[in-house]
Amino acid sequence: MNGSVLSRPAPEPPRTVAVGDDPDQVMELWPDGAPGRPLVVLVHGGFWRPRFDRVHLRPMAAALNALGLPVASLEYRRVPGDPDATVADVLAGLRAARAVAGPVVAVGHSAGGHLVLHAAAVEPSLVRATVPLAPVADLALADAENLGDGAVRAYLGGPAAGRTDLDPAAGPPPPGPVTIVHGDTDDRVPPAVSRSYAGRHPSVRLVELPGCDHFAVVDPLSAAWETVTREILAAAT
């Protein structure tokens, strides 16, 4: 498994709606789903850097929608040194999703996993369950390990110790169910990051997938996909 999903062609979303004035404040929608299913909101990763956007989650969004789940995929501003803009955009997107569909299932990959954990903890009324996939769940540890060639410091504009308010591991977990799915061969965000978060928050479930790397958890063609979909469907029931 590798990052081939990042460039794999996928259908355009049926709808795209603005949730702010900036071009990156948008939400892609695959709105049709089985009756009674909650909206699944995807938040992409990419170490909070501008060159990575929501497009690489379209194969995942389409595959989840084919299972009967309505899906939204959020875009957000990715400005190095301005983490508050990023956090504000994710919260705005979740508020827009909740206004349409009620509390959502928030699914975030990598840096997006960090963002959904933070959002669900600070505004829990938006989220009924959280499923982070290979999340950067402990900013202090990720900073100390220099993950993504200094991604945490580039995002925050300084060391993680200066923004503990944005570090999920430093605060309380979301009050709703949280299930983390992480491949045990992930060398971009090692599973030790999720283990650290789960170790601080005993209510959190951590599902480790043997032989799966960082991108397997968002790739419908991977061996991880059956487990990922099972956990998302469980969160949506």
Side-chain angles (χ1 to χ4, degrees):
M1 208 29 244
N2 53 40
S4 63
V5 71
L6 296 178
S7 57
R8 187 177 305 147
E12 294 278 332
R15 290 179 56 202
T16 300
V17 298
V19 294
D21 296 330
D22 191 274
D24 282 333
Q25 294 172 314
V26 297
M27 179 167 61
E28 296 185 341
L29 290 171
W30 288 258
D32 295 328
R37 296 278 191 168
L39 183 67
V40 174
V41 177
L42 305 181
V43 181
H44 72 83
F47 280 130
W48 311 278
R49 287 180 167 131
R51 69 178 180 272
F52 300 103
D53 64 17
R54 66 194 180 279
V55 172
H56 72 265
L57 287 192
R58 286 178 181 170
M60 180 180 187
L64 290 173
N65 190 233
L67 294 173
L69 294 168
V71 178
S73 183
L74 299 186
E75 192 57 272
Y76 50 90
R77 287 172 290 173
R78 303 168 309 289
V79 181
D82 189 4
D84 296 301
T86 296
V87 167
D89 287 354
V90 172
L91 285 168
L94 289 170
R95 290 183 196 118
R98 189 192 188 286
V100 172
V104 305
V105 174
V107 179
H109 177 233
S110 192
H114 156 263
L115 293 168
V116 298
L117 282 170
H118 175 267
V122 301
E123 204 161 332
S125 64
L126 302 175
V127 178
R128 60 185 285 171
T130 310
V131 185
L133 308 174
V136 190
D138 185 331
L139 293 187
L141 179 57
D143 185 18
E145 296 293 324
N146 196 39
L147 298 189
D149 296 324
V152 171
R153 293 197 179 207
Y155 165 58
L156 297 177
R163 290 301 306 264
T164 56
D165 59 309
L166 297 183
D167 189 346
V178 177
T179 299
I180 295 175
V181 182
H182 210 132
D184 72 354
T185 61
D186 190 335
D187 60 359
R188 298 196 180 216
V189 180
V193 177
S194 285
R195 291 172 195 151
S196 176
Y197 177 84
R200 293 175 182 228
H201 303 309
S203 62
V204 172
R205 286 181 62 231
L206 173 58
V207 178
E208 292 195 36
L209 301 180
C212 292
D213 72 3
H214 190 62
F215 297 104
V217 292
V218 294
D219 189 346
L221 302 183
S222 78
W225 187 243
E226 181 179 357
T227 300
V228 170
T229 54
R230 182 177 69 242
E231 296 299 341
I232 294 173
L233 286 166
T237 58

